Amino acid sequence: MNKAEVLKQIIEQRRSIFPKDYSENEIPQEVIDEILHSASLAPNHKRTKPWRFKIFKGEEKAALASEMQAIYKATQPEQLFLEKKYQDIGFKINKADVVVSIVVNFSGMVPEWEEIAAVSMAVQNMYLTCTANGIGCYWSSPKLVDHLKDSLQIEENQKCLGLFYMGEIH
């Protein structure tokens, strides 16, 4: 198969695969590194490299799950609070082997939409690299991430665009 055919096949196979379908296996560190390296190769105007990724594994990931659940509980009016949603937030984060926060850094050098587009292209590269390596993944952008400013140390010119979940597929 030539490169174009391989690329076409990877693009056609790319899907959002959710944590419920992840195995308990760990993703090798070299594969995680490859996924993040592919993100860094995304086109970006004026080479601003506006993406900021933070990897959550192990205890940090468990702490993120607890924090997201606490945010949901604190921000949801009591009559709208759903125990199932609360449990689901923790389940998805804990079931994924790796969770990556996706943050855009606005440089002020180019329009904000261009930097959001560059981050989106970086995430698409992550999706394609995951697919090529048999890793399930998906990008989630719940409103709750707006409350992660302190724990992600998000600066005034930055915004969290969501979380990227990864896990080996059953």
Side-chain angles (χ1 to χ4, degrees), residues 5-154:
E5 290 168 334
V6 170
L7 178 61
K8 182 179 180 231
Q9 187 177 45
I10 292 168
I11 290 170
E12 288 173 347
Q13 291 174 357
R14 194 228 37 90
R15 299 279 180 277
S16 289
I17 299 174
F18 304 99
K20 67 180 180 50
D21 296 315
Y22 300 166
S23 74
E24 300 299 320
N25 298 336
E26 280 190 37
I27 301 170
Q29 186 60 48
E30 55 272 8
V31 174
I32 296 168
D33 294 344
E34 180 184 341
I35 291 164
L36 292 173
H37 176 70
S38 72
S40 74
L41 300 175
N44 55 103
H45 192 187
K46 297 196 186 243
R47 297 189 184 116
T48 60
K49 298 188 183 214
W51 44 80
R52 301 294 182 270
F53 301 115
K54 178 174 171 45
I55 298 170
F56 292 87
K57 282 184 70 86
E59 289 178 19
E60 274 191 316
K61 186 172 58 87
L64 175 66
S66 296
E67 180 179 7
M68 291 285 286
Q69 286 178 309
I71 290 168
Y72 173 72
K73 197 169 203 169
T75 60
Q76 204 63 337
E78 193 175 329
Q79 66 275 18
L80 297 177
F81 178 84
L82 298 171
E83 183 65 29
K84 181 179 179 346
K85 183 166 182 163
Y86 176 84
Q87 294 300 331
D88 194 44
I89 290 166
F91 171 80
K92 286 191 294 191
I93 294 172
N94 287 313
K95 185 78 165 96
D97 181 47
V98 178
V99 177
V100 179
S101 62
I102 302 165
V103 174
V104 60
N105 183 69
F106 298 111
S107 68
M109 296 171 59
V110 299
E112 287 186 358
W113 75 264
E114 288 187 15
E115 296 194 299
I116 292 169
V119 172
S120 299
M121 287 186 277
V123 173
Q124 176 70 348
N125 284 358
M126 292 167 64
Y127 261 110
L128 295 174
T129 306
C130 283
T131 301
N133 283 282
I135 304 296
C137 62
Y138 92 105
W139 180 358
S140 175
S141 54
K143 200 81 180 111
L144 298 177
V145 299
D146 291 343
H147 299 276
L148 293 175
K149 283 188 178 226
D150 291 337
S151 60
L152 293 178
Q153 300 173 339
I154 292 178

